[in-house]
Amino acid sequence: MQRITKFWLATLLGLFVLGYFLLPLTLPHQARLWVLSVGQGESVLYQDTSGKSLLFDGGPDDTVLSELGRILPPWHRYIDVVVLSHTHVDHVRGLISVLERYRVGEVWESGALYPGGDMVSWHKLIQEKNIPDHIVFAGIEMTIGNTHILTMHPMKSMVGVKVPEAHDATVVLQMTIDSEKILLTGDLNEKHEADIMAWCQPPKCSLQSDILQVPHHGSDTGLSPPFLAAVQPQFAFICVGQNNSYHHPRAIILQLLEESHIPYQRTDTQGGVKITFGRGRFVYENYGSAPR
């Protein structure tokens, strides 16, 4: 009798421990977006109210792994969607480390061809791990959990196209959760922004977004005043590294944000940013990740 009692106590304890770890993964929660501090590059993690996750770019090295480890519990080794905005090292190299360490549900990219060993490694891992690889361009609509996603750039399929400039194939996503919109821009420049504004015409399409990723790390070739006026963000963030040789973000971009009365945070001075959405509003805060 005593053995049976001990058996059931051990069973109940095991079920309790298992439930303790698994229940948070099944319960609904607020949508969250983390702007990761990865140095001179960019990486953004989004988690939907359903718990599904999307990682947009990975930064220039494996720093993204320690950043993800700061956010995700140690048993959480699955990312639903990994998006590569374009083929430059400061966006793709960290994603290679992610593919090596995490199980990934699917990959989104432009399909453009660009020389470099990092892209060879990227596609080799996708093939070896048999990860579905989706090509996206303007007008493609997808969902992740309860979040609607619209691709706004590149303007056409870039499969097999050898682009002279990798930025010409930058993937741009507008993500909508309830009434809140997030615009992830990669390394757009002013010409790309003009193309998007010409394509995205109301009532079918609106650029207005509550959260804006400042394009191209705050380079003076991006974030034109007309584009900023079309987006009308309530908050902006800049993915940028400390003491970078490009002198990003440029003073003209910061001045534009300040004159437009748009609050912003930058990863080189303030570290990683966490944005939490809910009840038609959002709040942003640092989550303890150091500036890099």
Side-chain angles (χ1 to χ4, degrees), residues 39-54:
Q40 182 59 17
E42 79 176 30
S43 187
V44 176
L45 176 69
Y46 173 76
Q47 192 171 52
D48 176 71
T49 53
S50 67
K52 295 194 176 216
S53 55
L54 178 148

Side-chain angles (χ1 to χ4, degrees), residues 94 261 269 290:
H261 306 289
T269 59

Side-chain angles (χ1 to χ4, degrees), residues 137-184:
F137 51 90
I140 299 294
E141 298 184 62
M142 296 189 178
T143 58
I144 173 172
N146 300 310
T147 302
H148 175 264
I149 303 175
L150 172 65
T151 307
M152 291 187 160
H153 196 269
M155 306 318 299
K156 62 182 181 179
S157 173
M158 303 297 286
V159 174
V161 177
K162 293 183 179 180
V163 290
E165 170 52 64
H167 296 161
D168 292 339
T170 293
V171 172
V172 173
L173 302 180
Q174 186 186 57
M175 309 172 64
T176 304
I177 178 69
D178 294 328
S179 61
E180 304 297 309
K181 294 182 184 292
I182 306 161
L183 190 61
L184 302 179

Side-chain angles (χ1 to χ4, degrees), residues 214 218-220 222-223 225 228 238 249-264 266:
V214 174
S219 165
D220 57 9
L223 195 58
L228 183 62
I238 307 173
R250 294 299 184 118
I252 191 172
I253 299 300
L254 300 181
Q255 182 180 354
L256 176 60
L257 291 170
E258 290 162 4
E259 289 179 349
S260 302
H261 306 289
I262 298 168
Y264 63 86
R266 39 191 283 193

Side-chain angles (χ1 to χ4, degrees), residues 36 45 55 64-72 79 98 102:
L36 308 185
L45 176 69
L55 181 66
V64 63
L65 297 179
S66 60
E67 287 293 284
L68 290 174
R70 183 186 296 272
I71 296 165
L72 301 174
I79 297 175
V98 170
Y102 286 80

Side-chain angles (χ1 to χ4, degrees), residues 32-35 265 272-276 283-287:
R32 292 166 290 186
L33 182 138
W34 290 268
V35 183
Q265 290 203 12
V273 184
K274 176 184 175 183
I275 307 170
T276 304
V283 294
Y284 58 90
E285 61 186 331
N286 294 99
Y287 65 88

Side-chain angles (χ1 to χ4, degrees), residues 73-96:
W75 62 87
H76 192 120
R77 288 290 174 178
Y78 182 82
I79 297 175
D80 295 273
V81 179
V82 166
V83 183
L84 173 62
S85 72
H86 67 287
T87 60
H88 280 163
V89 169
D90 56 327
H91 297 255
V92 67
R93 186 164 289 176
L95 288 186
I96 295 171

